[in-house]
């Protein structure tokens, strides 16, 4: 009986290991996104703003918020992707990952993305920086995002599965117009994006 249980466990783990990996995320040139390599996140639909960058909101200098450039000629700041379980350095769809601006911050915080606390006035969850790179668990749940296939391109989502102890509300990341600022926030309307490698 013990031998049968061991064999069954081995077969179960073998089947899990044999499961196909999710598709790789591709850049605008059809090449696979690589973990730790710098890219620009750009809108797939031209004429609707530029790439992603950082900005302070209102009278608060810190924390900095993730925002979209107002004009399409602006590429924004380069970012790197850090999957929770990097396999051969490829960034794949539907996989938990950290997103990090490859830039210095004027605030005393990391440039890793995180979902900020709920803004009661605007009734929105916004994407800011100050997250933790790696270290998956209940305390870092807000630091994990995913890239999903969306129509013929991609979208960003907040739906972390790194911790089995936390239940989160899975939502798309979209653009929230806050005065003249285009802020990244949880949304029912996805921000359709493409990725271009920094040269």
């Amino acid at each position: 009986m013990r031998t049968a249980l061991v064999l069954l466990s081995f077969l179960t783990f073998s089947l899990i290991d044999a499961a196909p990996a999710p598709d790789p995320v591709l850049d605008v040139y059809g090449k696979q996104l690589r973990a730790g390599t710098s890219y620009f996140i750009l809108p797939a639909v031209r004429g609707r703003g530029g790439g992603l960058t950082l900005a302070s909101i209102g009278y608060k200098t810190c924390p900095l918020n993730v925002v979209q450039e107002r004009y399409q000629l602006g590429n924004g700041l380069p970012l790197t992707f850090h999957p929770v379980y990097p396999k051969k350095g490829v960034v794949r769809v539907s996989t938990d990952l950290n997103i990090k601006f490859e830039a210095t911050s004027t605030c005393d915080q990391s440039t890793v993305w995180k979902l900020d606390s709920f803004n009661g006035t605007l009734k929105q969850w916004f994407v800011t920086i100050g997250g933790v790179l790696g270290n998956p668990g209940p305390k870092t749940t807000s630091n994990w995002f995913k890239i999903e296939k969306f129509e013929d391109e991609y979208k960003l989502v907040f739906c972390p599965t790194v911790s089995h102890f936390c239940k989160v509300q899975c939502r798309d990341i979209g653009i929230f117009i806050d005065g003249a600022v285009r802020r990244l926030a949880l949304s029912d309307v996805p921000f359709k994006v493409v990725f271009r490698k920094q040269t």
Side-chain angles (χ1 to χ4, degrees):
M1 180 70 176
R2 182 180 176 86
T3 304
L5 286 173
V6 171
L7 182 59
L8 181 60
S9 297
F10 174 77
L11 289 173
T12 302
F13 284 116
S14 295
L15 288 173
I16 291 171
D17 290 341
D23 290 338
V25 179
L26 304 179
D27 67 13
V28 292
Y29 303 109
K31 297 185 180 297
Q32 296 178 354
L33 260 65
R34 308 294 301 183
T37 298
S38 295
Y39 296 89
F40 296 107
I41 299 180
L42 302 169
V45 180
R46 303 303 288 166
R48 295 188 183 175
L52 302 181
T53 188
L54 291 167
S56 55
I57 304 297
Y59 298 108
K60 291 185 177 180
T61 306
C62 298
L64 295 175
N65 287 250
V66 181
V67 302
Q68 183 189 18
E69 296 266 13
R70 290 179 64 186
Y71 305 107
Q72 72 173 31
L73 294 179
N75 289 327
L77 296 171
L79 305 108
T80 52
F81 303 99
H82 304 269
V84 62
Y85 301 119
K87 188 175 182 181
K88 298 182 180 178
V90 177
V91 177
R92 299 184 180 276
V93 297
S94 307
T95 301
D96 289 296
L97 50 80
N98 295 133
I99 303 174
K100 180 178 183 288
F101 279 110
E102 290 303 310
T104 55
S105 168
T106 55
C107 299
D108 184 23
Q109 60 185 159
S110 77
T111 55
V112 177
W113 287 20
K114 71 173 183 177
L115 190 68
D116 201 5
S117 56
F118 185 71
N119 184 310
T121 303
L122 298 175
K123 302 190 183 307
Q124 278 288 346
W125 291 89
F126 291 106
V127 180
T128 65
I129 58 170
V132 176
L133 194 63
N135 195 29
K139 293 183 179 179
T140 63
T141 301
S142 63
N143 304 172
W144 299 94
F145 297 83
K146 291 179 181 176
I147 300 170
E148 299 284 4
K149 194 70 180 171
F150 179 54
E151 297 175 348
D152 54 338
E153 299 296 350
Y154 298 97
K155 65 179 179 178
L156 304 170
V157 300
F158 178 77
C159 190
T161 51
V162 291
S163 174
H164 301 293
F165 303 103
C166 300
K167 290 186 177 180
V168 299
Q169 182 183 13
C170 293
R171 297 281 302 277
D172 290 328
I173 303 294
I175 301 295
F176 180 86
I177 308 298
D178 184 5
V181 184
R182 301 172 65 85
R183 303 173 67 178
L184 257 64
L186 297 188
S187 175
D188 294 328
V189 181
F191 178 39
K192 189 175 180 181
V193 298
V194 295
F195 306 95
R196 193 175 76 203
K197 186 177 178 181
Q198 182 187 29
T199 55

